[in-house]
């Protein structure tokens, strides 16, 4: 038998642009299961199963008009949220520290992140943008994303990356070794 609880998430200004439920296996009082919601008003709300806003005291937001979060993905084993923004920024939010721990702004600069995904082990993140560029990242122990040498084929003119998948970290590591 399963029991489900429905809790209302506080309303935020703007339209919902992305939603992601944490699937990390390790949950505790410091890092319970969470739901992240991206809003076109330029913020990300992160909520517990009870509907409590854990970002209320330290909001995840952009102060640049017209820039908003557009892609979200939870780390598979830890309370870490990867956030892609319309200005090309990639940020990593720590659910234990309740803050943005690291971000990178140059790789997709000026291009909207259209998709973001973690590898199954959580050692890598892959992002795609509205110009068709795909980037694989490593993440250090301070949650700073670093672009790898992995390069995908040059996209066709007008291409847009809509989905990214890393089947396993071994496949990416082998491809990186062959990169220039």
């Amino acid at each position: 038998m399963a029991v489900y609880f429905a809790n209302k998430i506080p309303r935020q200004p703007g339209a919902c642009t992305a939603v992601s439920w944490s699937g990390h296996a390790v949950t505790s009082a410091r890092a319970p299961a969470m739901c992240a919601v991206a809003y076109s008003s330029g913020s990300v709300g992160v909520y517990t199963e009870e509907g409590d806003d854990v970002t209320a005291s330290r909001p995840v937001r952009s102060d640049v008009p017209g820039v908003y979060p557009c892609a979200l993905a939870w780390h598979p084993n830890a309370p870490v949220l990867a956030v892609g923004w319309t200005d090309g920024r990639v940020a990593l939010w720590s659910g234990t520290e309740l803050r943005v721990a690291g971000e990178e702004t140059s790789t997709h600069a000026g291009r909207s992140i259209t998709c973001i995904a973690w590898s199954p082990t959580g050692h890598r993140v892959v992002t795609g943008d509205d110009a068709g560029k795909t980037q694989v990242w490593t993440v250090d122990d301070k949650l700073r994303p670093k672009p790898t040498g992995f390069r995908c084929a040059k996209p066709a003119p007008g291409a847009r990356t809509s989905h990214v998948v890393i089947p396993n970290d071994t496949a990416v590591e082998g491809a990186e070794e062959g990169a220039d």
Side-chain angles (χ1 to χ4, degrees):
M1 177 169 111
V3 177
Y4 296 93
F5 296 89
N7 293 296
K8 197 172 196 174
I9 290 177
R11 185 171 172 85
Q12 296 258 345
C16 174
T17 59
V19 177
S20 185
W21 182 258
S22 69
H24 55 269
V26 182
T27 58
S28 66
R30 289 189 63 198
M34 294 177 268
C35 177
V37 182
Y39 298 99
S40 63
S41 58
S43 66
V44 176
V46 180
Y47 308 95
T48 64
E49 289 179 289
E50 290 77 35
D52 297 327
D53 184 351
V54 298
T55 54
S57 63
R58 293 172 129 173
V60 181
R61 73 169 154 241
S62 173
D63 295 325
V64 179
V67 173
Y68 58 89
C70 50
L72 303 171
W74 284 99
H75 188 284
N77 305 313
V80 176
L81 178 68
V83 182
W85 297 79
T86 55
D87 64 355
R89 183 170 22 133
V90 174
L92 298 177
W93 180 82
S94 168
T96 53
E97 298 175 19
L98 302 180
R99 68 178 185 88
V100 172
E103 63 183 9
E104 201 279 343
T105 59
S106 63
T107 300
H108 292 286
R111 306 306 313 193
S112 183
I113 302 296
T114 54
C115 48
I116 192 164
W118 288 89
S119 67
T121 62
H123 293 123
R124 300 215 178 6
V125 176
V126 62
T127 54
D129 68 26
D130 62 1
K133 182 176 182 178
T134 304
Q135 179 65 54
V136 177
W137 311 79
T138 58
V139 178
D140 68 15
D141 58 349
K142 294 185 180 181
L143 298 180
R144 295 176 298 207
K146 303 284 185 206
T148 68
F150 181 80
R151 286 183 238 145
C152 293
K154 187 174 179 177
R160 179 179 189 265
T161 307
S162 62
H163 292 80
V164 289
V165 177
I166 301 178
N168 60 57
D169 286 315
T170 306
V172 175
E173 288 168 2
E176 286 175 5
E177 290 169 10
D180 296 334

